[in-house]
Amino acid sequence: MQEDDPTYVNYETFLGPSFSPESYANTLVLATNNASDTSLDLATPLKRVLYDVQEVDTHIDKLTTISALPLVHYTKEHIQAGDRILQELEVQVATVSDSYARLQREVIERYEAADQARIASERLLATVRLGRAVGRCLTAARQLEAQMIEFRAQKPGAEKREDHRVLVRGATTVLSLRQIFVSDHAGGESEGLGRVQVIRALKAELIDPAEKALLGRAEQIIGQFSMSTLTSQGGVDGSQNPRTTSTFAQVEDARARATSAVTTLYLLSPTPKSASATIDPTYLVSAIQEYLRRSITSSLAGLTSSFSELPRLNRTLLEVSARCQNIVALEMLLESTKPPPHLSLNDEDLPDSKEKSREPASLLEPVVNSLDTPSLPSYFWRSMAGQISGRVQKIMRDGGVSARTLRTNRDRVGDAIRECVDRGSQLPSSSLGHGRTRTTGNWQREAAVMAGSVVNAIGR
């Protein structure tokens, strides 16, 4: 505001940063009224405010009149400048619109057509892959069905020799089918296979029952495995079955049948999820553990009964030795059997060193690792020693003739047990042949532990 403009309005008051309408109104009321009066006169301060407003309005009209031409000229220049900018923008917009139309004709429409072709190609490829997977699955299932017909036609114990190799063939076919189902995931070769009704029915009615049947037969063969001839004279062997003297051909057939069984159990064990993972032969380890458990349980029961009737001890120790010889033969069979090629291990892109680190050297390695033992006979004797002591102590606590007889023949019982461990830890004579030699390990520690657990319990 110019200094020469005559006005009584105090603009500094209104323009100050601390101006408050309430404070300004209160000041006017107090300036025009007496604080001791009972009534307030608001007309005077209101007129003062109206005079100020009128003065400001008059000042605005005066400034507008003086600056009218400059304002009009300034506004005209801005309008003309805006028109020129708008004309230039319209030219640019037209150019962009033409470019977009050409882009849509040459690129977008072609891209849409190409994208439709891509989608059609992907769906056709998925259909072809699914068809191929169904074809492979049906072919393998037809092969498995023929193998299972051959498998069910064989009756264990029949005069005609059982073709045990059908177990391995069937397990290999089941494993190939399992690999087809494993790739049923997004982007896999068999994506969508699980949604095909025929495949679901095939899996439920043929594949799963066939796998269970093969597993059951393989576990049965392991459970009946016997190579010892110590109790061949009408006795019982490690599988608690009567035995007669076996010919060499029968022994070789039994060994080959057991080899097919352990190979089948290895192949049918759960498949690793990645090619670089180690195969965990769960079914094989479980079957061997069950075989050892049954042998240990039968031996403990026989020894406990024989300690109560000492004249039967020699016969019982002979049976225990026979069971351990069967375990020695089973260990030799596992050690001589290398893991068969597994379809889930893709070794084409892996160095030899990595492949060796993932696959055990023999089927014995995962078994002894799971049992945390250096050998199966050692596990058998140490498990026996850990459990027989308590049973002998119970016989001694009960007293009677059995306890007195055991205490009297304490040294003879210890010598018989040592002889039993030494005899049972040898390779069965039926396993010798075709270049095999009898290998005798040092079982003095196992013999001492086994004899000590019995003798010490008798002496307490």
Side-chain angles (χ1 to χ4, degrees), residues 242-433:
R243 272 187 59 89
T244 57
T245 304
S246 301
T247 64
F248 178 77
Q250 291 174 334
V251 171
E252 288 298 313
D253 182 68
R255 181 183 296 108
R257 187 165 57 251
T259 302
S260 297
V262 296
T263 303
T264 299
L265 292 172
Y266 176 84
L267 290 174
L268 292 181
S269 294
T271 306
K273 297 181 178 180
S274 61
S276 60
T278 303
I279 293 179
D280 182 16
T282 307
Y283 296 150
L284 173 61
V285 172
S286 177
I288 301 301
Q289 288 178 341
E290 177 63 18
Y291 182 83
L292 292 173
R293 186 193 65 79
R294 289 173 55 243
S295 298
I296 292 171
T297 302
S298 300
S299 299
L300 286 173
L303 285 176
T304 303
S305 177
S306 297
F307 287 149
S308 299
E309 301 177 15
L310 205 57
R312 296 171 47 194
L313 181 61
N314 290 334
R315 181 62 182 174
T316 302
L317 291 177
L318 194 64
E319 294 172 359
V320 173
S321 296
R323 294 189 184 99
C324 188
Q325 282 194 355
N326 291 331
I327 294 174
V328 173
L330 181 60
E331 181 183 54
M332 184 191 70
L333 185 143
L334 291 172
E335 187 176 12
S336 62
T337 305
K338 294 185 178 181
H342 207 285
L343 297 178
S344 63
L345 295 180
N346 182 15
D347 57 351
E348 295 179 358
D349 301 328
L350 294 175
D352 293 340
S353 59
K354 291 186 178 180
E355 183 63 24
K356 291 179 181 178
S357 65
R358 291 189 295 107
E359 192 172 279
S362 67
L363 294 184
L364 178 64
E365 182 179 334
V367 176
V368 296
N369 289 339
S370 66
L371 296 175
D372 192 19
T373 181
S375 66
L376 299 186
S378 177
Y379 178 83
F380 174 79
W381 291 122
R382 291 176 184 272
S383 299
M384 288 272 293
Q387 300 179 49
I388 195 63
S389 177
R391 302 193 180 197
V392 175
Q393 291 178 18
K394 183 177 183 303
I395 294 175
M396 301 306 295
R397 285 196 304 267
D398 293 342
V401 177
S402 299
R404 290 195 300 271
T405 304
L406 276 178
R407 189 174 290 109
T408 303
N409 297 275
R410 178 172 177 268
D411 294 335
R412 188 170 67 86
V413 170
D415 294 339
I417 291 177
R418 291 186 185 91
E419 183 182 354
C420 171
V421 174
D422 183 68
R423 180 176 57 240
S425 301
Q426 307 303 316
L427 191 64
S429 59
S430 61
S431 298
L432 301 178

Side-chain angles (χ1 to χ4, degrees), residues 29-95:
V29 171
L30 292 177
T32 56
N33 289 274
N34 190 353
S36 61
D37 293 342
T38 56
S39 60
L40 288 176
D41 180 16
L42 297 179
T44 301
L46 182 59
K47 289 179 181 180
R48 173 65 183 276
V49 173
L50 291 176
Y51 288 152
D52 291 344
V53 171
Q54 184 178 4
E55 178 66 19
V56 171
D57 182 64
T58 302
H59 188 64
I60 291 174
D61 289 342
K62 181 179 178 181
L63 291 175
T64 304
T65 303
I66 295 173
S67 305
L69 291 177
L71 289 174
V72 171
H73 181 70
Y74 178 80
T75 303
K76 181 180 178 181
E77 290 180 350
H78 277 70
I79 292 174
Q80 292 174 351
D83 291 339
R84 290 193 298 270
I85 293 174
L86 181 60
Q87 292 175 359
E88 293 294 332
L89 288 176
E90 288 178 350
V91 174
Q92 297 296 329
V93 169
T95 303

Side-chain angles (χ1 to χ4, degrees), residues 189-248:
E189 288 293 329
S190 305
E191 181 180 0
L193 185 63
R195 298 195 298 268
V196 180
Q197 185 175 359
V198 175
I199 300 302
R200 292 203 303 267
L202 192 67
K203 190 173 188 298
E205 298 175 7
L206 174 63
I207 301 174
D208 291 344
E211 183 175 353
K212 291 180 181 178
L214 293 172
L215 282 174
R217 180 58 184 147
E219 291 172 351
Q220 182 184 8
I221 292 175
I222 296 299
Q224 296 175 349
F225 178 78
S226 178
M227 300 291 288
S228 177
T229 58
L230 290 178
T231 57
S232 60
Q233 302 300 325
V236 292
D237 57 14
S239 59
Q240 296 78 48
N241 295 325
R243 272 187 59 89
T244 57
T245 304
S246 301
T247 64
F248 178 77

